[in-house]
Amino acid sequence: MKKTLTTCPYCGTGCALYLLTDDNGRLVGTEPSAAHPVNRGSLCAKGWNAHAFVNHPDRLTTPLVRRNGRLEPASWEEALAAVVEGIRKVQATHGCDAAMFLSSAKATNEENYLLMKLARAVFGTNNVDHCARLCHASTVVGLAEAFGSGAMTNTVACIDAADVILVTGSNPTEQHPIIGARILEAQRRGARLIVADSRRIRLARFAEIHIRHRNGADVALVNAMMHVILREGLEDKEFLAARTEGEGALREALADWTPERAAAVTGVPASEIEAAARLFAGAKNAMIVYAMGITQHTRGVDNVRALASLALLTGQVGRPGAGVNPLRGQNNVQGACDMGALPNVLTGYQSVADQAAREKFAAAWGVELPKTKGLTSTEAMNAAADGSVKAFFILGENPVLSDPDQAHVRRALGNLDFLVVQDIFPTATTELADVVLPAGCYAEKEGTFTNTERRVQRVTKAAEPPGEARADGEILCALAEAAGYKGMRYRGAEEVMAEIASLTPLYGGISHERLDYTGLHWPCPDEAHPGTPVLHLGTFTRGRARLTPVEWRPPAEETDEDYPFLLTTGRTAVHWHTGTMTRRTHLLDREEPVPFVELHPEDASRLGIAARQDVLVATRRGEVRARALLTETVRPGLLFMPFHFAEGAANALTVNALDPEAKIPEFKVCAASIRRAP
Ligand SMILES: Nc1nc2c(c(=O)[nH]1)N[C@H]1C(S)=C(S)[C@@H](COP(=O)(O)OP(=O)(O)OC[C@H]3O[C@@H](n4cnc5c(=O)[nH]c(N)nc54)[C@H](O)[C@@H]3O)O[C@H]1N2
Ligand SMILES: Nc1nc2c(c(=O)[nH]1)N[C@H]1C(S)=C(S)[C@@H](COP(=O)(O)OP(=O)(O)OC[C@H]3O[C@@H](n4cnc5c(=O)[nH]c(N)nc54)[C@H](O)[C@@H]3O)O[C@H]1N2
Ligand code: SF4
Ligand SMILES: [Mo]
């Protein structure tokens, strides 16, 4: 059997694995890399099965073009011409910004770079975004403001050096299993755990303190923790004086945030908040780990600001073993952000409003670039619904199942003049497309992914794409040619990375050749630079870190008589997002084959709902049928649903309410009802 070393295509942990191919070049299995510093010989169930969907018979193998209302096979030439004509036609009538481009955190850095280059250089618009908008957009805004960089401050290995770990709104044993396991190892060695999550997640069982606060109440909780720290003089005065600004305003704002006041908002006893504050502030090395429970709120940025302030107040940033650590979700969501698949920045967070940056790219690409920042994906969906955006190009995303309020998304996409989807499988979104382009998956191409700790790693080809499918990067370059642009001719992904490095200080020293076995952490400004595992040592990226006081505000939708339950949505260990890959992986799908909703047994008995019975969950947006899973993981009054199932789509229920700054939707709270299905 042939072994090809590559990077796992599922989560941002970025485990290294071998793809095993037989004599016929077919993928037959995976194996962990024993020497890799992140996974050290382990994989989770998804990594062990990462080969399984690649050969699935449902793979898209030929371009499809809609004729007389039906998607029919077409030649590449015809499909590419149809894409260029469809977008150009919309732009000719309605302007360049009537087209929207969605990039993919499942695709490589090189492919994300090519997509945003296609949008900007060939189609003249900054309307480019990707699923980070639904995920860590709040982090990118909040941490960039506080520290000057919106990425994880520390590394996975830093977990080993922490003696207190605060995990909030993150379920790492299921969502980042190799990181979750490392946290458990640290706990076994004596690190003390604080979990703040309304659900009793697996880590909570090992936590010294498990705070089960009301969803959407994080600002109140963290403000009160900071209030206690200041009241008891537990703050790091030296660090505050030397490395931060804004202390005065923060102190003033926190004066009223007594734990008693927070208790009323969070439902958590004041004594528990005090205990958590003392434990955190008393640590030598305290690390904060967070994810979607913090970011996916209409006050997601404020949640992030509060956590950044907590770390700064106690001097827990800019050292190994500490830091503010947003666990990034998709395998390459960090990279897709770094590559400028965002409406306001080019690669490496160089603003489109910065004339010097724009001129640098214009010179390299040989075209003028658009100056005004583009639309976010969530704004573009609203614009499609109201008719001001007319064409979408979607690379490796499935918004019909992953965006909030499915009825709204269907209305929006249905309203378009032209929709292109480039995917590896047929999805709920390809069903609506005018043109479908079949792509090669991670196992079928070369390139790089950047993991959650900013480690840029190799992706290596182990098999050929099925049928006529082609790697995403090849398709994007062919599209540029079809559109008459000559500046996207490359001999391979390596040459694309060389162009990225030449335009991007953060990636300046990165080349495929250098990445070798374990990759490099950015910032890596030049070829001699060893990479930067821990950020903000000595000084913050922005100089002094900024403390920004925040006030708690309730979520967009609160419970009432008709919708008395609070519904929160998220994930499970075996499935991946919209299920396109894991539901085609037998060993994973058989674990959780049907849509379900977690419900507390007390609520169930009050409503006459038996275990595993079908129920109807409803919100102001819609109603969904699912199986009742009776469990004390949720508190009474709380429902939890994963969004992995097309036939029981959680996003038919969620609310399309956005954070005003990050434009991230409030996936984590809405009001719902539940009853027995007839
Ligand atoms: N198996 C699997 N792994 C995945 C994914 C997957 O689909 N499947 N997706 C990947 C991606 S893209 C991402 S972004 C990550 C997401 O990883 P996580 O953020 O860890 O996953 P979620 O289930 O979305 O939410 C995490 C926790 O937030 C809690 N929570 C809900 N509301 C609140 C709140 O108001 N405050 C607080 N403090 N907590 C709250 C929930 O109870 C839940 O336990 O996972 C990645 N890993
Ligand atoms: N209710 C609710 N909704 C949520 C969330 C939540 O917590 N609750 N979380 C949000 C978050 S954090 C995220 S990140 C989003 C994820 O939202 P999406 O990114 O839309 O979800 P995925 O299912 O990962 O979609 C990726 C698509 O890319 C395809 N694909 C895989 N590999 C390749 C490739 O190499 N090339 C191409 N062209 N395509 C490929 C897959 O088949 C799939 O259709 O969902 C968001 N939606
Ligand atoms: S933890 Fe994430 S990267 Fe590692 S094997 Fe599991 S899904 Fe893949
Ligand atoms: Mo995500």
Side-chain angles (χ1 to χ4, degrees):
M1 229 150 0
K2 197 176 145 221
K3 289 165 84 172
T4 308
L5 183 62
T6 192
T7 304
C8 178
Y10 281 113
C11 90
T13 304
C15 298
L17 53 80
Y18 291 97
L19 284 173
L20 311 179
T21 36
D22 67 12
D23 292 340
N24 303 318
R26 275 177 76 85
L27 290 186
V28 291
T30 69
E31 216 172 69
S33 148
H36 193 270
V38 172
N39 56 307
R40 304 177 300 172
S42 300
L43 292 174
C44 77
K46 292 180 298 302
W48 279 111
N49 285 286
H51 61 292
F53 68 83
V54 177
N55 292 320
H56 195 280
D58 288 353
R59 282 290 298 274
L60 292 169
T61 55
T62 170
L64 304 171
V65 171
R66 193 170 293 277
R67 298 189 193 101
N68 305 318
R70 292 195 20 215
L71 281 172
E72 293 179 351
S75 70
W76 270 111
E77 204 181 359
E78 188 188 351
L80 294 176
V83 172
V84 173
E85 190 198 308
I87 296 174
R88 284 267 157 86
K89 202 165 138 195
V90 158
Q91 291 187 317
T93 333
H94 305 282
C96 287
D97 294 337
M100 178 72 202
F101 291 78
L102 294 185
S103 197
S104 178
K106 298 235 79 68
T108 62
N109 285 320
E110 293 77 1
E111 290 162 346
N112 276 281
Y113 175 80
L114 293 172
L115 186 280
M116 77 94 187
K117 184 172 176 182
L118 184 78
R120 292 183 160 121
V122 182
F123 291 103
T125 180
N126 281 320
N127 285 348
V128 49
D129 204 6
H130 71 282
C131 71
R133 189 64 50 201
L134 311 176
C135 187
H136 271 294
S138 322
T139 297
V140 174
V141 175
L143 292 192
E145 176 192 280
F147 306 148
S149 167
M152 189 161 155
T153 61
N154 289 56
T155 65
V156 172
C158 278
I159 291 167
D160 303 349
D163 48 10
V164 169
I165 307 174
L166 166 61
V167 178
T168 178
S170 164
N171 185 9
T173 57
E174 302 210 16
Q175 267 54 80
H176 298 86
I178 296 299
I179 295 178
R182 198 133 178 176
I183 294 174
L184 285 176
E185 263 174 52
Q187 190 269 347
R188 225 171 294 137
R189 276 198 312 268
R192 300 162 80 182
L193 260 185
I194 306 170
V195 169
D197 195 310
S198 54
R199 294 166 69 227
R200 186 184 293 151
I201 57 171
R202 197 159 348 139
L203 270 191
R205 283 192 254 142
F206 300 87
E208 187 164 326
I209 301 176
H210 178 198
I211 296 172
R212 300 188 81 175
H213 57 308
R214 200 179 158 77
N215 299 54
D218 292 272
V219 163
L221 172 68
V222 179
N223 274 355
M225 284 175 70
M226 291 193 284
H227 173 97
V228 173
I229 288 168
L230 289 173
R231 189 182 68 194
E232 301 186 1
L234 303 174
E235 73 276 24
D236 186 336
K237 296 181 185 71
E238 229 170 90
F239 185 91
L240 285 168
R243 298 198 55 187
T244 69
E245 65 190 32
E247 185 188 336
L250 183 72
R251 279 183 185 274
E252 211 170 290
L254 291 174
D256 297 341
W257 272 105
T258 60
E260 289 72 23
R261 180 178 168 202
V265 176
T266 58
V268 175
S271 58
E272 210 171 279
I273 299 175
E274 285 167 346
R278 288 176 196 136
L279 179 54
F280 188 86
K284 186 161 154 278
N285 290 323
M287 173 182 263
I288 298 175
V289 170
Y290 75 89
M292 297 301 99
I294 290 298
T295 58
Q296 290 175 333
H297 291 281
T298 46
R299 295 290 158 182
V301 180
D302 284 349
N303 286 345
V304 172
R305 286 184 176 117
L307 288 178
S309 293
L310 174 63
L312 291 168
L313 205 58
T314 47
Q316 295 291 359
V317 203
R319 265 184 303 114
V324 181
N325 296 289
L327 299 184
R328 303 297 303 249
Q330 296 261 36
N331 53 324
N332 195 35
V333 66
Q334 182 63 56
C337 291
D338 301 343
M339 292 303 108
L342 294 169
N344 57 335
V345 289
L346 296 151
T347 59
Y349 310 94
Q350 303 172 83
S351 173
V352 297
D354 174 355
Q355 192 179 338
R358 241 181 13 250
E359 278 170 7
K360 179 172 71 172
F361 280 81
W365 294 352
V367 289
E368 281 292 295
L369 293 181
K371 294 187 185 64
T372 48
K373 76 171 187 202
L375 295 173
T376 63
S377 65
T378 43
E379 289 171 322
M381 201 57 83
N382 291 341
D386 74 27
S388 52
V389 163
K390 298 280 189 192
F392 261 59
F393 182 105
I394 302 179
L395 172 81
E397 292 202 342
N398 189 7
V400 171
L401 290 178
S402 59
D403 272 23
D405 189 358
Q406 189 179 66
H408 166 73
V409 175
R410 285 191 181 279
R411 215 160 38 239
L413 295 180
N415 209 16
L416 294 174
D417 289 352
F418 191 62
L419 173 62
V420 189
V421 182
Q422 180 167 321
D423 205 295
I424 61 172
F425 282 118
T427 69
T429 307
T430 60
E431 274 170 33
L432 307 178
D434 297 292
V435 180
V436 176
L437 303 175
C441 73
Y442 79 104
E444 298 153 353
K445 57 196 178 191
E446 299 283 329
T448 55
F449 293 155
T450 304
N451 83 346
T452 185
E453 38 159 31
R454 297 168 281 103
R455 188 192 292 268
V456 188
Q457 310 197 89
R458 286 296 301 274
V459 174
T460 319
K461 183 169 171 172
E464 289 300 325
E468 293 173 48
R470 292 162 75 175
D472 290 290
E474 275 177 49
I475 301 173
L476 297 171
C477 292
L479 265 174
E481 287 287 325
Y485 178 66
K486 307 270 186 271
M488 275 170 62
R489 292 177 177 167
Y490 302 92
R491 270 161 300 177
E494 206 168 342
E495 201 177 326
V496 181
M497 182 49 85
E499 184 173 311
I500 295 165
S502 73
L503 292 166
T504 316
L506 287 180
Y507 278 65
I510 291 183
S511 63
H512 284 196
E513 199 189 352
R514 271 196 81 192
L515 292 179
D516 199 20
Y517 189 67
T518 55
L520 282 167
H521 295 271
W522 67 250
C524 178
D526 59 61
E527 274 138 51
H529 197 283
T532 313
V534 179
L535 294 182
H536 317 303
L537 296 171
T539 173
F540 283 91
T541 308
R542 72 183 293 277
R544 276 174 181 268
R546 180 155 145 205
L547 295 155
T548 306
V550 287
E551 271 308 297
W552 176 76
R553 288 188 187 80
E557 195 173 75
E558 294 187 277
T559 54
D560 60 18
E561 239 169 64
D562 294 336
Y563 298 101
F565 283 85
L566 203 151
L567 169 67
T568 192
T569 63
R571 316 161 148 72
T572 67
V574 295
H575 278 306
W576 192 263
H577 296 158
T578 68
T580 61
M581 300 180 292
T582 49
R583 296 199 76 196
R584 291 187 175 92
T585 300
H586 172 68
L587 291 178
L588 298 176
D589 193 51
R590 72 172 188 189
E591 296 295 316
E592 266 167 15
V594 293
F596 66 88
V597 53
E598 290 181 359
L599 170 71
H600 194 279
E602 275 171 24
D603 287 329
S605 70
R606 191 167 44 81
L607 297 169
I609 296 168
R612 307 191 69 72
Q613 186 170 43
D614 269 11
V615 290
L616 295 173
V617 182
T619 67
R620 290 188 176 81
R621 272 70 54 195
E623 187 170 76
V624 159
R625 197 183 178 100
R627 196 172 274 178
L629 184 68
L630 306 195
T631 168
E632 290 177 6
T633 300
V634 288
R635 300 201 314 182
L638 180 65
L639 305 175
F640 170 81
M641 259 186 112
F643 68 108
H644 307 307
F645 303 92
E647 68 277 30
N651 278 322
L653 303 172
T654 48
V655 58
N656 180 27
L658 306 180
D659 179 285
E661 296 166 277
K663 311 290 180 188
I664 193 172
E666 191 141 68
F667 285 126
K668 287 293 183 263
V669 198
C670 69
S673 66
I674 184 168
R675 64 192 157 93
R676 264 194 326 218

